[in-house]
Amino acid sequence: MRGSSLPTHERRWASDTIPAKTILSSTTSPGTESNSAEEFVEVTLDLQDDDTIILRSVEPATVISVDDGADTPASGSRSPAIKRSSSNRLRQFSQELKAEAVAKAKQFSQELKAELLKFSWGHGHAAQTITGLDSVLAARALRKQRAQLDRNRSGAQKALRGLRFIRNNKANAWEEVENNFNKLARDGFLFRFDFAQCIGMKDSKEFALEMFDALSRRRRLQVEKISKDELYEYWSQITDQSFDSRLQIFFDMVDKNEDGRITEAEVKEIIVLSASANKLSRLKEQAEEYAALIMEELDPERLGYIELWQLETLLLQKDTYLSYSQALSYTSQALSQNLQGLRKKSRIRRMSAKLLYYLGENWKRLWVVSLWILIMIGLFTWKFFQYKQKNAFKVMRYCLLTAKGAAETLKFNMALILLPVCRNTITWLRSTKLNLFVPFDDNINFHKAIAAAIVIGVILHAVNHLACDFPRLLKSSTQDYGDFLIQDFGSHKPTYIDLVKGAEGVTGILMIICMAIAFTLATRWFRRNLIKLPKPFDRITGFNAFWYSHHLFVIVYVLLIIHGVFLYLEHIWYRKTTWMYLAVPALLYAGERTLRFFRSGFYTVRLLKVAIYPGGVLTLQISKPPQFRYKSGQYMFVQCPAVSPFEWHPFSITSAPGDSYLSVHIRQLGDWTQELKRLFSDVCEPPVAGKSGLLRADETTKKSLPKLLIDGPYGAPAQDYRKYDVLLLVGLGIGATPFISILKDLLYNIVKMEEQADSVSDTSWTSDLSTGSNDSTTHNRVSPKRKKTLKTTNAYFYWVTREQGSFDWFKGVMNEVAELDKRGVIEMHNYLTSVYEEGDARSALITMVQALNHAKNGVDIVSGTRVRTHFARPKWKNVLSKLSSKHCNARIGVFYCGAPVLAKELSKLCYEFNQKGSTKFEFHKEHF
């Protein structure tokens, strides 16, 4: 039965009549000593429209000792025990106030008994209602007592980690708030709508306003502006280190009608508010369902409301629900490793340890770069001394030697720069023994380093010729010209224009122009669209501009050969060596491009499925050509002639080698990907009612899907994951794509190994009953399979993303891993950075709902999978520390794909932990 409750008796006596700073001793009646055995109870009634009284609760009253502050179990709905100063004046005031409250309680108790007798005599139905509620209220009272005991065991430190309203822990935090007040205040008052910005919660304005209203209701006020003193009082309550105080504020935010109870509607409202603050749009849509879930868990008696102690119980015990996808546990090795890291070493030992580690991690790069630099030095020196013997040196001096030495390094680098981008060759070399000595993963970085050397060489060569050699030639005397230069430049002394407009000058200037355009548009600022230019100049930024401008090098190489033929100071053909440098690399690169052209046409593929996910991600599932063999972690190039008949773009393969199809996930980042998404959006079917909101299409519904061409596969760092004992896979946003294929491949291997183990046991049982020859034949057939064991024992996948919709991209894979990985080889962790970290009041209710829903339904409310979603960003130092303590003496491969900032942090942490213990971390970063 529901009805309107009596407002006079709904709230607890203490919270209605006693100021917040009052200290009571409610164990005695007025004028008696503290050892009196008199007890009091708190009664809550509802008066119905038909004059029926419903007894809601009968509980022991709160007992608070003034002397020692001990608090006996009590309801505490609206009056948490406040242990402050116990001065005589305050004690006298509290005793007088308590006496008045006790007198009212006695008078009301006598009136209640009379009313109960009256109604029980005249209204049998009311008597049955009161009797029926006894067991329900008794059950809730018992749960409350148990909860209070559990709370005592949990400890204050654990409680303090929760319900933080402000993340600013600086000592001068109030000074910042005060400065904000001075900027925002008008006429000495801060208005309600500026409160969020003032306290540093500008990004959670709605949440801050609800907190403002809750704090105002405590003061029995409904205001639109507050003074600085009132702001300081609000700030003191918000930053109070007491868990009880923060819990009461949170409760007051939900309990808007101040009746000491939270109904399902109020729970739904605060869920919507928390979802808005954390940018969880889907959670808002399901707020009603999750509010019902909380009420089901906290209100098993179905009274229709929950109280403060029940909310507190859920907050303190949520960890018991979050048993899925927990962080790795520490072992005793963690302490020893930390102690080892704390042992002080001398400065020389520290420097030598760093040097040895650096050499151990980078020796492949060092010997390749050193060899490259030595070759350039050798070529420069050779030409330097060679031209020093020529007659022209007498006039042009060292400008000529510098220009010619730089020219020789240019010829070498212009040939060498083609090799790192011969992807088919590098992919093949990765599978050879040469991979042990050459860092093929750094091919693009090496390509960029060579480009930088070319820029330096061009500057040295061009500046020395145009600004030094030619002026010296023009200023030379007629006798010097006739003695030293007439054989190279002819009987007629050339002018500066004659030198520039010759074949050597024109080809040189055209090469400089083409290379300047290509190098500029290849820089990160232009390639990544970091520079915003007005239209129509915005077309020279982005990947398209980079891709097309790089084809200017075809012209550059033609001009380079011509430039190398028409030399001023060299007349013997075999000494004109430019074509010799370029012959092999140019033919190899041309062969690669030709192979790509014919192979892309040879790989006939059909588009099987298309899906467009939230976050602008397009998923393409295409048929797998029989000749297309790849490893997990590799990538391929995709071309869509309908978008551009010339452009090829690389994408990680997200399907596993064992799948019967190929799949890629393409995020909308540039102009090509935007046009591709628009093209497929036009052919996709609209979402069907009851289905997900994704746009989909497949070959059964659409016969005219756009044509695709593929080329690959090509090698990547992640393909070598099998050589490690343990894997740590870290993906940021769309950077998770290289690792999805690895997870699926690991899963297939796990299932295959279990099937083989079953078949081996069955075969062993059968072989015992067969003849000796059959036995040996059987074991010879089985043993090769048993040798092919998977070296990787564990894999840890950390996926960090900003958008909740991103989890839809690989929802099927995550559920499949959670279902089939019975041995726990793969451990997955999802992190959503748009949600405030666990312990923040803005995400507290979301954490509760997340825990309850997974405990009941086995599904995470954020990702929609069986994998738990953590909030904020991972603490990478803790992650690596736990891995090193759990997997001692293991070789851990750390593979990362994402923003460069985190790459530096992970690389540094790998170095630090490699110095501490026996676990070795090897860091790899994807390069595109």
Side-chain angles (χ1 to χ4, degrees):
M1 295 178 62
R2 295 282 178 91
S4 59
S5 55
L6 288 171
T8 307
H9 306 299
E10 182 67 32
R11 298 286 300 276
R12 301 192 174 173
W13 297 109
S15 62
D16 278 344
T17 58
I18 301 177
K21 295 185 179 180
T22 304
I23 302 175
L24 292 183
S25 176
S26 57
T27 58
T28 63
S29 59
T32 60
E33 299 298 329
S34 60
N35 59 357
S36 172
E38 186 175 1
E39 297 181 355
F40 300 97
V41 296
E42 179 180 308
V43 182
T44 305
L45 300 174
D46 276 358
L47 179 60
Q48 305 298 310
D49 295 335
D50 58 354
D51 294 332
T52 303
I53 292 181
I54 297 179
L55 180 62
R56 282 296 187 191
S57 64
V58 180
E59 301 174 350
T62 304
V63 180
I64 305 175
S65 174
V66 174
D67 296 329
D68 57 7
D71 190 358
T72 61
S75 57
S77 172
R78 297 291 301 178
S79 55
I82 302 174
K83 301 173 182 178
R84 302 279 174 92
S85 172
S86 55
S87 62
N88 294 332
R89 181 181 177 185
L90 188 60
R91 183 180 301 180
Q92 180 181 0
F93 173 73
S94 64
Q95 289 177 351
E96 293 174 355
L97 200 58
K98 175 183 142 306
E100 181 182 354
V102 169
K104 289 183 177 180
K106 286 184 175 180
Q107 179 182 358
F108 178 75
S109 178
Q110 295 174 354
E111 295 174 356
L112 173 64
K113 291 179 181 179
E115 290 294 328
L116 288 177
L117 290 175
K118 176 182 177 181
F119 275 92
S120 63
W121 179 263
H123 301 272
H125 177 69
Q128 292 177 3
T129 302
I130 294 175
T131 303
L133 281 174
D134 286 344
S135 58
V136 174
L137 296 173
R140 174 167 285 199
L142 182 60
R143 285 200 307 117
K144 180 177 179 180
Q145 291 177 358
R146 290 175 178 173
Q148 289 171 336
L149 292 175
D150 291 339
R151 189 254 173 99
N152 292 334
R153 298 190 195 103
S154 66
Q157 290 301 322
K158 183 177 179 181
L160 284 174
R161 291 197 295 265
L163 283 179
R164 293 188 306 272
F165 291 100
I166 299 295
R167 287 183 293 175
N168 191 345
N169 297 321
K170 299 178 183 178
N172 62 340
W174 166 246
E175 295 180 8
E176 296 181 8
V177 175
E178 191 174 18
N179 292 334
N180 292 337
F181 177 89
N182 295 333
K183 295 176 183 177
L184 299 172
R186 280 171 285 181
D187 299 328
F189 289 94
L190 177 73
F191 283 83
R192 178 177 176 270
F193 53 81
D194 290 327
F195 180 72
Q197 182 177 353
C198 185
I199 65 172
M201 295 179 69
K202 186 177 180 180
D203 53 346
S204 305
K205 187 172 183 179
E206 293 181 4
F207 192 91
L209 293 180
E210 289 291 342
M211 185 163 55
F212 179 92
D213 294 340
L215 294 171
S216 299
R217 286 195 297 268
R218 281 185 164 193
R219 299 163 55 87
R220 298 295 190 271
L221 297 174
Q222 189 172 3
V223 296
E224 289 296 323
K225 58 183 181 180
I226 54 175
S227 64
K228 182 183 291 189
D229 292 339
E230 291 171 323
L231 176 64
Y232 180 75
E233 184 178 345
Y234 283 17
W235 176 259
S236 301
Q237 296 180 55
I238 294 171
T239 57
D240 195 328
Q241 292 300 306
S242 167
F243 176 73
D244 290 327
S245 176
R246 291 186 291 194
L247 177 64
Q248 186 68 60
I249 295 175
F250 189 77
F251 187 89
D252 292 344
M253 290 175 62
V254 187
D255 181 25
K256 294 186 177 181
N257 59 1
E258 302 181 86
D259 62 352
R261 301 173 178 180
I262 299 177
T263 63
E264 186 172 329
E266 291 173 323
V267 172
K268 176 186 174 182
E269 189 174 345
I270 198 65
I271 289 177
V272 172
L273 182 66
S274 299
S276 298
N278 291 278
K279 302 178 180 64
L280 298 175
S281 57
R282 296 185 183 178
L283 191 62
K284 292 171 63 176
E285 298 171 0
Q286 298 174 289
E288 186 172 352
E289 174 187 345
Y290 295 137
L293 180 66
I294 289 181
M295 297 301 294
E296 180 181 348
E297 175 69 19
L298 299 184
D299 183 28
E301 302 87 8
R302 298 187 179 181
L303 294 176
Y305 64 90
I306 58 176
E307 299 173 286
L308 180 68
W309 67 268
Q310 291 161 297
L311 188 64
E312 176 190 32
T313 300
L314 183 59
L315 275 170
L316 296 180
Q317 296 183 356
K318 64 179 175 61
D319 290 339
T320 61
Y321 297 101
L322 295 176
S323 58
Y324 61 106
S325 186
Q326 286 287 356
L328 302 170
S329 59
Y330 283 97
T331 65
S332 58
Q333 290 292 330
L335 179 59
S336 62
Q337 289 189 4
N338 290 335
L339 290 177
Q340 183 177 353
L342 291 174
R343 292 170 189 154
K344 290 187 176 181
K345 298 179 182 179
S346 64
R347 185 175 181 181
I348 297 178
R349 290 189 63 184
R350 289 198 305 269
M351 293 180 63
S352 62
K354 288 183 178 181
L355 178 62
L356 290 174
Y357 176 81
Y358 180 80
L359 294 175
E361 288 293 309
N362 299 281
W363 69 270
K364 292 182 183 180
R365 301 183 182 93
L366 289 174
W367 85 261
V368 170
V369 172
S370 299
L371 178 62
W372 171 54
I373 293 175
L374 287 174
I375 291 174
M376 288 192 295
I377 292 174
L379 291 173
F380 186 93
T381 306
W382 171 50
K383 281 297 174 182
F384 187 92
F385 286 103
Q386 185 186 54
Y387 272 80
K388 194 174 183 180
Q389 309 302 320
K390 291 184 176 293
N391 291 331
F393 172 69
K394 304 296 183 179
V395 176
M396 299 181 180
R397 306 300 296 172
Y398 288 98
C399 296
L400 174 65
L401 307 186
T402 304
K404 288 302 180 180
E408 202 66 19
T409 63
L410 273 173
K411 290 185 283 186
F412 170 68
N413 285 326
M414 287 296 290
L416 185 64
I417 199 171
L418 295 173
L419 297 180
V421 291
C422 292
R423 291 186 174 88
N424 287 291
T425 303
I426 289 179
T427 301
W428 171 71
L429 290 174
R430 289 178 65 94
S431 61
T432 65
K433 296 293 184 181
L434 198 60
N435 191 38
L436 299 174
F437 308 100
V438 179
F440 292 112
D441 292 345
D442 292 323
N443 61 320
I444 299 301
N445 286 335
F446 191 44
H447 179 78
K448 294 177 181 179
I450 298 171
I454 289 174
V455 172
I456 296 173
V458 167
I459 293 173
L460 289 176
H461 181 75
V463 170
N464 277 280
H465 270 325
L466 297 175
C468 187
D469 287 348
F470 292 174
R472 280 179 176 272
L473 170 62
L474 299 177
K475 292 179 181 179
S476 63
S477 64
T478 304
Q479 182 178 354
D480 288 342
Y481 181 82
D483 293 341
F484 303 117
L485 300 175
I486 193 170
Q487 294 181 352
D488 298 318
F489 293 95
S491 58
H492 178 69
K493 185 178 180 181
T495 64
Y496 196 91
I497 299 299
D498 293 334
L499 294 172
V500 173
K501 73 179 183 180
E504 301 91 335
V506 171
T507 54
I509 293 173
L510 289 177
M511 280 192 294
I512 290 175
I513 293 173
C514 292
M515 289 181 4
I517 295 173
F519 284 146
T520 301
L521 298 184
T523 57
R524 178 173 175 267
W525 299 280
F526 283 88
R527 192 179 73 255
R528 300 282 186 181
N529 269 325
L530 299 180
I531 294 179
K532 303 300 181 182
L533 298 176
K535 293 183 179 182
F537 301 104
D538 59 335
R539 291 183 175 273
I540 67 173
T541 62
F543 184 85
N544 272 357
F546 155 74
W547 194 85
Y548 284 115
S549 65
H550 250 55
H551 286 76
L552 290 173
F553 276 98
V554 176
I555 300 174
V556 169
Y557 278 101
V558 173
L559 294 172
L560 180 61
I561 294 173
I562 296 173
H563 187 81
V565 172
F566 295 93
L567 294 179
Y568 287 118
L569 305 177
E570 195 62 70
H571 308 291
I572 303 174
W573 71 271
Y574 58 82
R575 290 185 179 177
K576 299 177 180 181
T577 57
T578 303
W579 65 273
M580 300 179 186
Y581 281 100
L582 298 178
V584 174
L587 288 174
L588 180 62
Y589 183 75
E592 289 240 350
R593 296 298 296 261
T594 305
L595 175 62
R596 174 185 294 184
F597 176 79
F598 286 105
R599 186 169 59 182
S600 62
F602 181 71
Y603 284 155
T604 56
V605 295
R606 303 187 327 275
L607 197 54
L608 303 178
K609 289 183 181 180
V610 180
I612 300 178
Y613 290 99
V617 171
L618 171 68
T619 300
L620 302 178
Q621 192 176 109
I622 59 181
S623 61
K624 180 180 176 182
Q627 303 83 7
F628 196 95
R629 297 182 179 89
Y630 66 98
K631 299 178 181 178
S632 293
Q634 292 185 332
Y635 65 95
M636 67 181 181
F637 280 83
V638 177
Q639 184 197 75
C640 182
V643 177
S644 173
F646 305 109
E647 295 182 47
W648 291 85
H649 293 263
F651 300 102
S652 297
I653 304 173
T654 53
S655 55
D659 289 330
S660 59
Y661 59 88
L662 296 172
S663 66
V664 292
H665 287 67
I666 302 172
R667 182 154 197 182
Q668 182 181 337
L669 292 174
D671 43 11
W672 186 87
T673 53
Q674 288 175 356
E675 182 62 21
L676 187 71
K677 178 178 176 289
R678 186 200 63 77
L679 180 67
F680 281 100
S681 298
D682 294 340
V683 301
C684 283
E685 297 286 342
V688 182
K691 301 283 187 178
S692 64
L694 305 180
L695 297 173
R696 299 179 182 273
D698 55 52
E699 58 181 358
T700 61
T701 59
K702 290 285 184 180
K703 301 299 182 182
S704 59
L705 291 173
K707 182 182 178 182
L708 289 179
L709 300 177
I710 64 171
D711 177 54
Y714 294 105
Q719 75 178 58
D720 298 325
Y721 74 93
R722 286 175 173 266
K723 68 181 184 181
Y724 294 100
D725 304 317
V726 179
L727 299 178
L728 175 59
L729 310 174
V730 181
L732 265 61
I734 199 65
T737 51
F739 310 128
I740 295 301
S741 179
I742 294 176
L743 293 177
K744 294 176 71 175
D745 192 38
L746 281 174
L747 185 62
Y748 290 160
N749 279 279
I750 293 168
V751 175
K752 186 177 180 181
M753 289 172 60
E754 291 177 352
E755 292 175 351
Q756 288 180 2
D758 294 338
S759 64
V760 168
S761 61
D762 293 340
T763 305
S764 301
W765 179 80
T766 306
S767 63
D768 291 338
L769 304 178
S770 61
T771 60
S773 60
N774 290 338
D775 180 75
S776 61
T777 303
T778 302
H779 282 284
N780 288 335
R781 185 170 63 252
V782 173
S783 59
K785 292 183 179 180
R786 296 180 64 186
K787 289 181 181 179
K788 293 181 181 179
T789 56
L790 188 64
K791 182 178 181 180
T792 304
T793 59
N794 290 93
Y796 302 90
F797 176 53
Y798 282 78
W799 185 14
V800 184
T801 182
R802 291 178 298 186
E803 300 171 355
Q804 183 185 7
S806 302
F807 296 120
D808 289 344
W809 305 345
F810 309 115
K811 182 182 293 186
V813 176
M814 289 188 283
N815 284 330
E816 192 176 6
V817 170
E819 180 180 354
L820 297 180
D821 184 19
K822 304 298 183 184
R823 297 189 301 165
V825 174
I826 302 173
E827 186 174 299
M828 296 191 293
H829 299 265
N830 295 333
Y831 280 82
L832 187 61
T833 58
S834 66
V835 180
Y836 293 97
E837 62 182 350
E838 295 170 16
D840 194 296
R842 287 165 284 189
S843 63
L845 201 64
I846 296 174
T847 306
M848 294 185 226
V849 175
Q850 182 191 39
L852 288 174
N853 192 71
H854 195 278
K856 181 179 179 181
N857 303 318
V859 177
D860 183 80
I861 64 169
V862 179
S863 66
T865 69
R866 297 174 62 181
V867 180
R868 177 190 174 188
T869 301
H870 306 267
F871 302 145
R873 289 175 173 81
K875 294 178 174 58
W876 295 112
K877 189 172 184 179
N878 293 346
V879 172
L880 267 68
S881 176
K882 294 167 185 177
L883 282 175
S884 63
S885 62
K886 185 176 182 180
H887 302 284
C888 302
N889 303 310
R891 188 181 176 203
I892 301 179
V894 182
F895 295 91
Y896 170 75
C897 185
V901 177
L902 182 55
K904 294 179 181 179
E905 180 183 351
L906 289 174
S907 179
K908 182 180 179 182
L909 287 173
C910 288
Y911 163 73
E912 293 178 0
F913 281 94
N914 285 339
Q915 298 299 306
K916 290 183 179 180
S918 57
T919 306
K920 297 302 176 186
F921 294 90
E922 296 185 17
F923 179 74
H924 303 273
K925 180 184 181 300
E926 293 287 331
H927 298 285
F928 277 152

